[in-house]
Amino acid sequence: MATETHCPYCSLQCGMRLTGRRVPEVSAWEEFPVNAGALCRKGWAAAGLYGGRERLTSPLVRDRVTGEWTAVSWDDALDRVVAGLRGAQAEKGPDGVAVFGGGGLTNEKAYALGKLARVALGTSQIDYNGRWCMSSAASAGIRAFGLDRGLPFPLADVEETDVLVLVGSNLAETMPPAARHLDRLRARGGRVVVIDPRRTPTADRADLVLQPVPGTDLALALGLLHLLVAAGAVDEDYLAARTTGWAEVEESVAPWWPERVERVTGIEAAEVRELAAVLAGSPRVMVLTARGAEQHSTGSDTVLAWINVALALGMVGKRGAGYGCLTGQGNGQGGREHGQKADQLPGYRRIDDPAARAHVAGVWGVDPDSLPGPGRSAYELLDACGTDDGPSAMLVLGSNIVVSAPNATQVTARLEALDLLVVCDVVMSETAAIADVVLPVTQWAEETGTMTNLEGRVVLRQKAITPPSGVRSDLEVIAAIAERLGSTATFATDPEEVFAELGRASAGGPADYSTITYDRIRDEGGVFWGGERLFASSFAHADGRARMLAVEHRGAAEVPDDDYPVHLTTGRVLAQYQSGAQTRRVRDLPDDGPFVELHPLLAGRLGLATGEAVQVSTRRGTMTAPARVVTTIRPDTVFVPFHWVGANRLTNDALDPASRMPEFKVCAARLAAVGRG
Ligand code: SF4
């Protein structure tokens, strides 16, 4: 009999059916509404995660002198882990130990990990790789609307709008089943606008494509709002009834005439005017941002600027219109709601809110005063590892930091400076390879748990196959560590039990899961927390109004100069997912390795042709990969995919002041044809 479950990868969480006991067979689950049976190449090939020889099935410890790995028993491994954690805390206090999670962990795991940190370890030092995914949109959403739910409406609402503006999203390549909504929208006469420095496969489905200089999306939004004001297209009644702050925002966009926008963004003033006219004349406009707009040191202000456009047009809360963020990681939404973030308790509560602390401490059966305060953000936490003031031991779940962290050479050195690095993983990832202890855990179809997709729809990944002997679930590992640490709080290992506890802990919080159960999810094809559509009549701020916040264009933290004369941007390819720890090992997915995409004008200056080796250098590192010469990228910009070691050795660790998002999407680089100087 087939098990109905969901894809192991991205935030669409496509439904699929699995059969088979050891290696599953994937088939379509047409009734699941999000993807209606469609899957991308990664989803169809998901069974390839099983049956490979690389799967870890025994705990391993590494000799730091010889570098040799030795298989040990679970008891031995856990005893070593806990002795190391205790030693670090004896030397440095509770914050001597850090915990690092991931946006791919189930809600249950994210919740249990946060509880392990705050209750069993008493450390404030916990954050996760989702900080690098959507934190800028989350920060902006909370400030503007009082609530962060990536899409406040079902994704299918895209088909009902008149103009869809995609800012920094390559949706057709990163989540192909979602691209059918673009096709249907256009079939009924709607228009798609794509804003991206690269002309991606998503642009092939667009009516208007704008290719700004990386890091200037904010200036474009300011310029559009300037023109909308001039055209009298602003919805004054909506602004008066549903928002605050419009006067300051209106004043702030006055100096952003189209020619100034052209100078900053590289987009011709005529094109800016064309887009403004399209927006001004459309009854329903929907703006969706993704990593291209958000992964900047100005990411949260950029999102606020686009939210201001949507609010000024009176679109937010209107059916088939509004603003949303296309979250990336599988549990990018749920992973940011239940306590693995440095400043957060379950239910999207703030850890510095006394009422939130009292509620969650009550569920956990501990004194609220025993809970630590906020800790460091992801990059700052990693950068502190092994320093006098930072943690000297770290536990990592669901993250391949060595590949995915910005300024990765520096981060790897910090991880190597730890006295103890413990990694829970299914394979010997690049991060596991530098750990002291690796704990082999179950994955995807071997375990049950909930994920919250990009729409805020809580879905159930159900266990379909038997895990290999020797592995344990992350929940069992967390419970075993807590028990060895002598925690008085209980740590359940049954996912449904953990989910029920999560529901109680989240009750009354911004992301309240208390009425959601596994049975409801099965019966209803997923359950939206907070309701299917949000903001129809009020926003989540106490007065029910959205906040319009005036923001300024600041530009990228690092701009090209004589030494590093081009922009470098990073992103994804269809066949790979995130750090590639899973997908690079799936035989049915092509793994051609990294490449450097550049325009013929730039390639010509270097004498480069497709396939020839090119070295890319920034102030932080260097990598070499084959060139791909394409006309679809700006001549002043190069692109490198981040699924392999290398791209993030180059990226900038400049952080957004509000979200602490690193500037993955733009820095200054120089190129050299290898062998030609
Ligand atoms: Fe999986 Fe995302 Fe592809 Fe759907 S679009 S099959 S969730 S990787």
Side-chain angles (χ1 to χ4, degrees):
M1 186 169 143
T3 303
E4 288 168 349
T5 190
H6 298 271
C7 175
Y9 305 119
C10 88
S11 66
L12 208 53
Q13 282 301 289
C14 292
M16 57 172 62
R17 290 197 169 94
L18 299 181
T19 46
R21 296 228 14 104
R22 286 272 169 206
V23 177
E25 237 179 76
V26 175
S27 60
W29 177 12
E30 290 91 351
E31 298 82 6
F32 185 68
V34 176
N35 58 311
L39 298 171
C40 78
R41 189 171 191 170
K42 295 189 289 290
W44 285 119
L49 291 171
Y50 296 98
R53 283 192 299 276
E54 290 187 61
R55 183 69 187 270
L56 300 175
T57 55
S58 170
L60 299 169
V61 297
R62 185 171 64 99
D63 183 316
R64 282 204 174 193
V65 178
T66 64
E68 279 179 20
W69 290 96
T70 306
V72 298
S73 70
W74 270 97
D75 276 341
D76 190 1
L78 289 168
D79 286 346
R80 285 175 193 237
V81 168
V82 170
L85 300 178
R86 282 211 172 106
Q89 292 193 318
E91 186 193 342
K92 291 187 165 171
D95 284 356
V97 170
V99 176
F100 201 88
L105 297 176
T106 62
N107 290 318
E108 292 79 355
K109 294 179 186 182
Y111 168 79
L113 197 59
K115 182 177 172 183
L116 175 77
R118 274 58 175 257
V119 176
L121 288 162
T123 179
S124 68
Q125 301 298 295
I126 175 170
D127 213 62
Y128 78 123
N129 65 23
R131 177 77 71 169
W132 303 333
C133 182
M134 40 19 74
S135 61
S136 288
S139 160
I142 290 169
R143 287 158 77 195
F145 307 132
L147 187 75
D148 157 41
R149 201 182 83 183
L151 292 182
F153 40 72
L155 184 62
D157 281 13
V158 162
E159 297 175 22
E160 299 179 19
T161 196
D162 297 301
V163 182
L164 174 68
V165 183
L166 292 169
V167 193
S169 167
N170 183 9
L171 175 146
E173 195 169 4
T174 54
M175 47 180 74
R180 74 190 195 284
H181 298 305
L182 308 190
D183 298 336
R184 289 182 189 152
L185 166 64
R186 295 180 79 204
R188 52 157 283 272
R191 279 178 283 191
V192 176
V193 179
V194 168
I195 298 166
D196 193 319
R198 300 167 64 222
R199 200 183 163 94
T200 65
T202 307
D204 295 341
R205 291 176 148 92
D207 302 274
L208 181 61
V209 180
L210 304 181
Q211 292 185 256
V213 171
T216 64
D217 296 320
L218 198 164
L220 177 59
L222 298 177
L224 288 170
L225 198 43
H226 170 101
L227 288 168
L228 293 171
V229 171
V234 166
D235 187 338
E236 299 283 359
D237 292 343
Y238 176 96
L239 290 171
R242 301 209 51 191
T243 72
T244 64
W246 168 237
E248 292 79 12
V249 171
E250 184 178 23
E251 195 181 324
S252 73
V253 299
W256 284 95
W257 55 92
E259 287 71 20
R260 183 181 176 201
V261 175
E262 176 177 325
R263 274 205 307 283
V264 172
T265 66
I267 298 171
E268 289 181 14
E271 287 185 310
V272 182
R273 287 193 176 92
E274 183 186 351
L275 176 54
V278 168
L279 299 182
S282 299
R284 287 171 298 184
V285 172
M286 183 182 285
V287 178
L288 302 181
T289 63
R291 304 303 82 69
E294 300 160 10
Q295 287 179 320
H296 293 274
S297 60
T298 56
S300 52
D301 280 357
T302 300
V303 174
L304 284 171
W306 285 97
I307 288 174
N308 285 342
V309 171
L311 287 169
L313 289 167
M315 296 295 160
V316 184
K318 190 193 272 193
R319 176 97 188 221
Y323 165 79
C325 151
L326 294 163
T327 296
Q329 290 197 79
N331 199 25
Q333 181 69 48
R336 69 197 196 235
E337 296 168 349
H338 297 298
Q340 60 176 331
K341 199 157 169 259
D343 55 359
Q344 188 196 68
L345 289 172
Y348 226 134
R349 288 184 156 95
R350 291 185 60 94
I351 203 166
D352 57 4
D353 172 2
R357 294 169 66 87
H359 172 83
V360 175
V363 174
W364 288 345
V366 299
D367 179 352
D369 291 339
S370 70
L371 300 178
R376 296 177 171 96
S377 77
Y379 183 80
E380 291 161 298
L381 176 56
L382 296 173
D383 199 34
C385 282
T387 64
D388 288 347
D389 298 333
S392 50
M394 178 178 265
L395 174 65
V396 178
L397 271 77
S399 191
N400 188 7
I401 298 164
V402 167
V403 179
S404 60
N407 197 7
T409 305
Q410 157 75 4
V411 167
T412 303
R414 298 273 31 106
L415 293 180
E416 288 172 335
L418 289 165
D419 294 336
L420 175 72
L421 176 62
V422 182
V423 172
C424 297
D425 213 326
V426 295
V427 293
M428 189 60 84
S429 71
E430 288 81 357
T431 308
I434 61 166
D436 299 286
V437 181
V438 176
L439 302 175
V441 289
T442 50
Q443 65 170 335
W444 181 46
E446 298 160 356
E447 56 187 15
T448 292
T450 59
M451 308 285 280
T452 306
N453 85 344
L454 79 174
E455 310 164 288
R457 188 192 308 250
V458 186
V459 301
L460 186 61
R461 275 195 192 163
Q462 307 204 79
K463 180 175 175 177
I465 64 169
T466 309
S469 63
V471 304
R472 294 189 183 180
S473 74
D474 287 315
L475 292 177
E476 289 170 335
V477 172
I478 289 168
I481 292 174
E483 186 187 357
R484 277 172 164 76
L485 286 167
S487 174
T488 53
T490 53
F491 284 77
T493 56
D494 172 60
E496 191 163 6
E497 211 178 308
V498 177
F499 189 74
E501 185 184 312
L502 178 163
R504 293 194 296 279
S506 73
D512 184 339
Y513 280 43
S514 60
T515 61
I516 306 175
T517 63
Y518 277 21
D519 283 341
R520 271 194 71 198
I521 298 171
R522 286 191 193 99
D523 293 345
E524 299 173 31
V527 179
F528 290 90
W529 69 256
E532 196 168 12
R533 291 182 182 82
L534 308 178
F535 311 144
S537 56
S538 84
F539 294 97
H541 288 298
D543 60 4
R545 290 167 176 260
R547 302 285 181 269
M548 299 192 77
L549 299 160
V551 290
E552 283 298 323
H553 167 74
R554 300 193 300 278
E558 193 178 78
V559 293
D561 56 20
D562 289 346
D563 294 331
Y564 296 92
V566 298
H567 301 282
L568 168 72
T569 190
T570 60
R572 306 161 195 235
V573 298
L574 170 61
Q576 298 295 327
Y577 177 69
Q578 301 298 83
S579 79
Q582 295 160 293
T583 47
R584 282 188 274 123
R585 291 173 168 86
V586 173
R587 287 195 195 94
D588 286 347
L589 294 175
D591 178 3
D592 302 330
F595 55 88
V596 180
E597 190 179 283
L598 72 168
H599 192 275
L601 288 174
L602 186 53
R605 286 211 293 280
L606 295 161
L608 269 170
T610 290
E612 293 181 344
V614 56
Q615 186 186 64
V616 188
S617 305
T618 68
R619 289 183 174 83
R620 292 155 295 281
T622 293
M623 69 171 282
T624 299
R628 274 194 199 173
V629 182
V630 297
T631 56
T632 47
I633 192 167
R634 291 179 57 89
D636 58 5
T637 301
V638 295
F639 167 83
V640 180
F642 62 63
H643 309 291
W644 296 268
V645 170
N648 277 319
R649 290 182 182 155
L650 308 174
T651 49
N652 195 351
D653 55 8
L655 301 181
D656 181 292
S659 66
R660 317 309 284 166
M661 165 75 84
E663 190 145 78
F664 287 101
K665 280 290 187 267
V666 62
C667 64
R670 69 166 169 248
L671 306 184
V674 174
R676 299 185 198 187

